[in-house]
Amino acid sequence: MRATDSRVTFAELQEWPDDGRRYELYDGEVIVVPSPFARHQRVLMHIAEILVGYERATGGLAFEAPLDIVFSEHNVVQPDLVFFRQERRHLIDMMAATRAAPDLAVEVLSRGTEARDRGRKMQLLARFGVPEYWIVDPVKNTLEIYALRAATYERVAIHDEHEDVRSPTLPDLSFPASRVFAE
């Protein structure tokens, strides 16, 4: 008798009919990503504007969800925003799934995602070598920066809306946090 693998693969997920939902895979377990609320989307839009400006200045690439980051056939996530440095843009095929770890992943917290964003997703991003991870809280108006150190994330900064933000891994990426939390 042969045991069957009940884990879902990215290939299988791609065959599912489009039902309007977003899905992530954590070691083959399917997680439905809930729809965000309006404040989440405003904060996300402001961060996207900042990263697109940085993209123009440096030649990197910024992407907003939904975009599958396929770490392996059983580990696929859709961070709210990702950024790839200019020297790694050749790893991105604009017409295929992204199979390279980004240089920065950003999650804007929602009521239904905070535990996963601080837990399983953070661990997965570290496991697959994403150098920098931001957790943005649109209720408390804080931006936490984590840097990968020895295969785990270390919080290197937490900023409120009155401070300036500086990336520890992306050269010359700095901005006032007030831009992120503007109405």
Side-chain angles (χ1 to χ4, degrees):
M1 184 172 192
R2 196 176 126 200
T4 60
D5 189 350
S6 63
R7 299 180 304 164
V8 174
T9 66
F10 179 64
E12 290 169 330
L13 190 62
Q14 292 298 99
E15 294 176 7
W16 291 9
D18 184 0
D19 61 4
R21 293 190 234 177
R22 290 175 39 206
Y23 297 97
E24 295 183 325
L25 296 177
Y26 293 84
D27 294 317
E29 178 186 350
V30 178
I31 302 293
V32 177
V33 179
S35 181
F37 53 94
R39 175 71 176 151
H40 174 284
Q41 293 303 93
R42 292 294 295 173
V43 167
L44 179 62
M45 182 180 70
H46 295 310
I47 299 168
E49 289 169 353
I50 291 164
L51 290 179
V52 167
Y54 187 67
E55 170 187 292
R56 289 185 185 121
T58 66
L61 290 171
F63 296 99
E64 196 173 330
L67 176 74
D68 289 320
I69 303 296
V70 183
F71 291 125
S72 73
E73 283 307 303
H74 293 104
N75 292 288
V76 181
V77 293
Q78 292 188 8
D80 287 324
L81 289 158
V82 293
F83 186 84
F84 294 86
R85 295 167 67 125
Q86 186 275 331
E87 59 268 24
R88 296 184 67 243
R89 62 182 293 154
H90 70 280
L91 300 173
I92 306 304
D93 179 343
M94 293 293 185
M95 302 306 288
T98 303
R99 293 185 178 270
D103 295 291
L104 168 67
V106 179
E107 283 297 340
V108 179
L109 298 179
S110 292
R111 290 178 291 266
T113 66
E114 182 171 5
R116 190 171 47 255
D117 291 344
R118 291 184 180 282
R120 288 179 85 180
K121 184 174 280 185
M122 180 182 247
Q123 292 166 1
L124 193 69
L125 293 169
R127 184 167 115 199
F128 286 96
V130 177
E132 189 171 344
Y133 181 46
W134 296 357
I135 295 179
V136 183
D137 188 326
V139 175
K140 296 179 183 173
N141 288 351
T142 58
L143 189 155
E144 299 172 40
I145 298 178
Y146 294 85
L148 194 59
R149 308 263 196 266
T152 189
Y153 283 118
E154 175 185 316
R155 188 170 77 186
V156 296
I158 183 166
H159 301 284
D160 68 23
E161 61 193 308
H162 305 291
E163 298 175 315
D164 289 336
V165 175
R166 178 173 301 281
S167 167
T169 65
L170 298 173
D172 302 320
L173 176 57
S174 63
F175 53 91
S178 59
R179 284 184 61 194
V180 170
F181 301 111
E183 292 298 318

